Amino acid sequence: MPALTADDIREILVHVATPGGGPNLVAADVIKGLSVSDGHVSFAIEINPKHAELFEPIRAEAARLVEATPGVTGVTAVLTAHSDAPTGGATPSVQPAPAPKGPQGGGHKHGGPPPPTPEPIPGIKQIIAVASGKGGVGKSTVSVNLAVALSQQGLKVGLLDADIYGPSLPRMLGLTGRPDSDGEVLQPMEAFGLKVMSMGFLVPDDTPMIWRGPMVMSALTQMLTQVAWGELDVLVVDMPPGTGDAQLTLIQRVPVAGAVIVSTPQEIALMDARKGLAMFEKTNVPVLGLVENMAWLEMPDGTHNYIFGEGGVRRTAQELGADFLGEMPLYNEIRQTSDEGTPITASAPDSDATKRFRKIAEKVSGKLTLS
Ligand SMILES: Nc1ncnc2c1ncn2[C@@H]1O[C@H](COP(=O)(O)OP(=O)(O)OP(=O)(O)O)[C@@H](O)[C@H]1O
Ligand SMILES: [Mg+2]
């Protein structure tokens, strides 16, 4: 059988109409980033985010049809917002339901449906979130190394990249390729003893992904519930920065045992960290503690250069009555091993950074009920 091409898939997608009997997906020019690799088909359906709920059944139907095509081994189909959103994108000829469900719609405030009740994921004992207010402070670095250190304690650990805007875990773990799928559930990828899932495995790098509320909810919910995680003691979730849709989706969909807040000691990062902490407390998610990342730069003579100020995260933790989990200096090896896809906890087990990550991991696992 000749290898499948993108044109073969387009021929299938012409049989799926846009909502309200509109033009088909190909004629409407909403199929973006279509790629076929080893039988795995990926594409995004670009829409006006206001119509995400209307398009969800269309997305599912398109995925089903493509999945049924001989030679197709798996399908990843996601909704993405048109770059001119909110006015652009495919416009269905019927109006969407007035109050979108879920956190971003705030429908319940206006008498709409209440937010979903968190439901445990069978097989997963505890879910923890690694979060920060500000971007670039080291959440992903801490998530990866915390997960590896927890697994080195003998725990079964999963790692979910909830940063669908800028997934960085595939790179930090040196993972390429696509997860296997039977059309219903995705198999997580495996690295350093961890089971890993990231939007970075599913969407081609060159597809600009612009997400809006309902899509964030649907993408994240799929990565939580439609992945064969198996038995896990802990699922570590690497969050995007801030207090937006991804945070609310996670908290509303699954029981979160606790949050680890990462911050640099810099005042501007601490201000945002306080906001993050307040959000978790408001939603009854316990804050397991704060990590001070980039605490100082180790100078060749052994002295510390406090680039972002000294001790700010420890003080903030005290001020807010939260636990301080430890400080992590700026180490060239941390950056380097992240870029190379070999986390320092795995590649340099005797380094100071690894010892520090292990202590943080011990404090975290000590706070979780794992029996
Ligand atoms: N302690 C550290 N020492 C050296 N480099 C570090 C350290 N922590 C993080 N980095 C580097 O800083 C950069 C940002 O870190 P990272 O991606 O983990 O932050 P993030 O909070 O997840 O960012 P984003 O908000 O974009 O998701 C990366 O290049 C990482 O390798
Ligand atoms: Mg990150």
Side-chain angles (χ1 to χ4, degrees):
M1 187 169 42
L4 274 175
T5 64
D7 279 341
D8 298 332
I9 304 303
R10 274 189 208 94
E11 274 177 32
I12 293 158
L13 293 173
V14 296
H15 299 294
V16 183
T18 45
N24 72 62
L25 291 175
V26 176
D29 192 25
V30 294
I31 300 295
K32 305 290 165 184
L34 177 59
S35 77
V36 185
S37 144
D38 286 342
H40 192 104
V41 179
S42 313
F43 57 90
I45 303 175
E46 192 181 60
I47 61 164
N48 181 325
K50 281 195 285 191
H51 305 138
E53 289 201 15
L54 273 180
F55 268 92
E56 177 47 34
I58 308 282
R59 182 202 66 77
E61 171 65 6
R64 240 189 326 271
L65 274 181
V66 174
E67 180 79 37
T69 308
V72 171
T73 54
V75 179
T76 304
V78 295
L79 296 178
T80 178
H82 190 280
S83 45
D84 295 339
T87 49
T91 306
S93 44
V94 294
Q95 287 304 304
K101 289 191 209 83
Q104 62 298 316
H108 55 289
K109 278 189 212 138
H110 310 289
T117 316
E119 278 189 35
I121 304 175
I124 303 186
K125 285 188 191 152
Q126 301 289 1
I127 299 174
I128 62 172
V130 177
S132 77
K134 193 174 173 304
V137 295
K139 287 172 300 298
S140 301
T141 307
V142 170
S143 301
V144 164
N145 287 290
L146 174 63
V148 172
L150 287 169
S151 115
Q152 288 170 342
Q153 287 175 24
L155 299 173
K156 286 187 221 127
V157 183
L159 182 55
L160 170 62
D161 191 350
D163 194 341
I164 56 176
Y165 306 91
S168 44
L169 295 195
R171 179 178 187 137
M172 286 188 175
L173 293 163
L175 283 169
T176 52
R178 294 190 178 279
D180 287 335
S181 146
D182 63 1
E184 298 259 310
V185 289
L186 288 164
Q187 291 298 326
M189 306 281 269
E190 300 209 12
F192 305 100
L194 311 173
K195 291 192 175 167
V196 188
M197 184 50 63
S198 167
M199 194 47 74
F201 301 142
L202 306 177
V203 177
D205 274 354
D206 52 0
T207 309
M209 300 303 286
I210 301 166
W211 301 89
R212 293 292 184 272
M215 295 174 218
V216 174
M217 194 165 76
S218 124
L220 197 49
T221 305
Q222 280 180 36
M223 287 203 296
L224 283 162
T225 59
Q226 289 171 30
V227 170
W229 291 109
E231 299 284 321
L232 292 181
D233 293 305
V234 187
L235 177 66
V236 177
V237 185
D238 175 20
M239 302 303 295
T243 53
D245 293 313
Q247 283 73 8
L248 281 168
T249 301
L250 183 76
I251 293 165
Q252 294 189 336
R253 289 282 157 171
V254 293
V256 179
V260 171
I261 313 265
V262 181
S263 183
T264 62
Q266 196 182 6
E267 189 46 44
I268 189 157
L270 289 168
M271 265 164 46
D272 289 347
R274 288 188 194 101
K275 280 187 215 154
L277 200 125
M279 180 200 69
F280 285 112
E281 288 190 331
K282 227 189 205 155
T283 48
N284 297 322
V285 172
V287 171
L288 300 173
L290 276 67
V291 173
E292 179 166 293
N293 191 31
M294 311 191 184
W296 63 79
L297 178 67
E298 199 105 351
M299 302 306 281
D301 65 0
T303 55
H304 296 176
N305 180 350
Y306 294 98
I307 296 177
F308 297 120
E310 188 178 349
V313 179
R314 187 188 286 271
R315 272 197 305 281
T316 303
Q318 274 164 359
E319 201 183 288
L320 300 172
D323 278 354
F324 182 66
L325 297 173
E327 58 248 310
M328 186 60 60
L330 264 166
Y331 281 122
N332 194 20
E333 298 76 33
I334 294 184
R335 203 259 321 135
Q336 215 171 331
T337 50
S338 284
D339 285 351
E340 286 166 0
T342 54
I344 196 157
T345 34
S347 55
D350 299 324
S351 61
D352 180 62
T354 297
K355 287 176 192 153
R356 288 173 181 275
F357 277 126
R358 287 200 183 139
K359 277 201 187 131
I360 292 170
E362 273 160 30
K363 286 189 187 161
V364 168
S365 62
K367 287 168 179 256
L368 301 174
T369 310
L370 293 169
S371 50

